[in-house]
Amino acid sequence: MMDQAAVRRKWTDGWLADRVPPDIADDLRHAQLDSLITQVPVLLAVAGLNTIILMAVCAWNGLPLSQYGWMGGLVAYTLVRSHYVKRGFQSAITPEQQRRVVRTSTIAAIAMLAALGVTAAVTYATSLFDRSLLIPMSLGFGAISIAHCLYRLRRVALASIALGIGPGALVLLAVGDFEGKMLGASMLSVGWLMMRFVSAQYQQLIDNLSLHQHIRAIANSDPLTGLANRRAVDDYLAVQTDNDRLAVALIDLDGFKQVNDTHGHDAGDALLRAVAERLRVACESAGLIGRLGGDEFIMILPDIADEAQLNAIATGAIAALCLPAHVGDLQLPLAASIGQARRSGSQETVKQLVKRADDALYAAKRLRNTPQATRRLLHLA
C-alpha cells in the first residue's frame, strides 16, 4: 500500500505536472515560471480591479451592504497573493524550489477557481445576489483571461475554463430563463473552443522547445560520437571557474593513425564510436565527456575529493580502452594514454588546469614504449 507521501507525489507529478520529454523539462519549467512572474501579478491586479468595478455597479443599483462580503474577500486575496508572488521571485531559486512554485501555484489557482465557480453557481441558483447574472459572466471572462495568459501551465489553463465557466453555465442551462439558457449554452461553446485553443498553444510550445533542444544538441555535440564537442566542453568549463574540486583527464588513442592508414577512415570512425561508448559506460560519474577532435577525448570531473578518487576513475577509463574493438569483421587493437590533473587551489585557473592535464598526457605518451609503462601508462600530474 502506498503511503500518503507516495499518493501525494503521484497526484502532483501526474495530473498537476505535465508529462513532457525529459530533455525539455527544465526549459518548460523556466517557461512556466516566466508566465507566473510576468502574468500572475497582472491577472491578480485585473481581478481585483474588476471586483471593485463590480462592487461599484452593485452600489449604484442599491445592493445591500450585506452582500458585499465575498467581493471584499476576493479583493483582499488578490492583494495578499500578489505580495507573495512578488516576494517569491526576488531572489534566485533552486530547481527544486522552481518545481515547488509551479506545483503550489497550480494548486492555489485551481482551488480558487473551484471555489469561485461553485459560489457563482450556487449564488445564481438560489438568487442570493440581486444581480446574480453578473457573477457567472464576470467569472467566465476571468477564466478565459487566465487560460489565455497561463497556457504554458496547461493544467491551470484547462482547469480555469472548466471551473470558471462550467458550473455557472450548467446552472444557467438548468434553472435559467430562455435568455439564461442561451447564455449558458454560449458559455459552454466558448469554453470548449478555448480548451482546444489552449491545447493547441501548449502543444506548439512543446514542439518549439523540442526543436530548440534539438538545435542545441546539434550545436553542442560531436556528430560522429555523440559526445560533447569542443564548444560544449568550453562552455562547461566556463561555469566551473570557482569549483575547487574540479579535475580534468585528457585521453589520446595510441596508434590510431595506423588504423586509418591500414583499414580506412570508415574503420577509424567506427573505432572512435566504440571508444565513446566505452567511456560513457566506464565513466558515468564524469560531469562531461567530450571529443576535442581527432582521437583526443576529455573527461571533466566536477566533484573530485582527492587523488585516489581521480586515479580510480582514470584507471577505469584506461581499463575500458585496453581490450580490442570489433569493427565488422575486424578486430582492432585499442590502447590509450591519459593525462590527468586535479585543481591545486582557487588560484589556479581552469585554463592552467587543462594545460597541466595536457602536459601529463604528453609525458605519458613519451613513456608509452618503456617496458613497464606500456601505452596505457597512467602519468599523474
Side-chain angles (χ1 to χ4, degrees), residues 72-149:
L74 182 57
V75 173
Y77 171 82
T78 61
L79 293 173
V80 173
R81 184 64 182 164
S82 181
H83 168 74
Y84 279 106
V85 168
K86 291 179 180 179
R87 193 178 71 173
F89 293 108
Q90 285 179 346
S91 58
I93 56 178
T94 65
E96 178 55 36
Q97 290 172 324
Q98 292 174 358
R99 285 188 285 270
R100 191 181 307 120
V101 166
V102 172
R103 284 198 301 268
T104 56
S105 297
T106 298
I107 294 171
I110 292 175
M112 182 188 74
L113 287 163
L116 290 175
V118 172
T119 299
V122 171
T123 299
Y124 182 85
T126 57
S127 300
L128 292 175
F129 188 68
D130 291 346
R131 300 289 187 273
S132 55
L133 194 58
L134 288 173
I135 299 176
M137 288 297 296
S138 298
L139 185 57
F141 285 127
I144 291 174
S145 299
I146 292 171
H148 181 73
C149 293

Side-chain angles (χ1 to χ4, degrees), residues 38-62:
T38 58
Q39 302 292 345
V40 169
V42 176
L43 287 170
L44 289 171
V46 171
L49 178 60
N50 278 275
T51 304
I52 294 173
I53 292 173
L54 180 61
M55 294 171 69
V57 171
C58 294
W60 178 264
N61 286 276

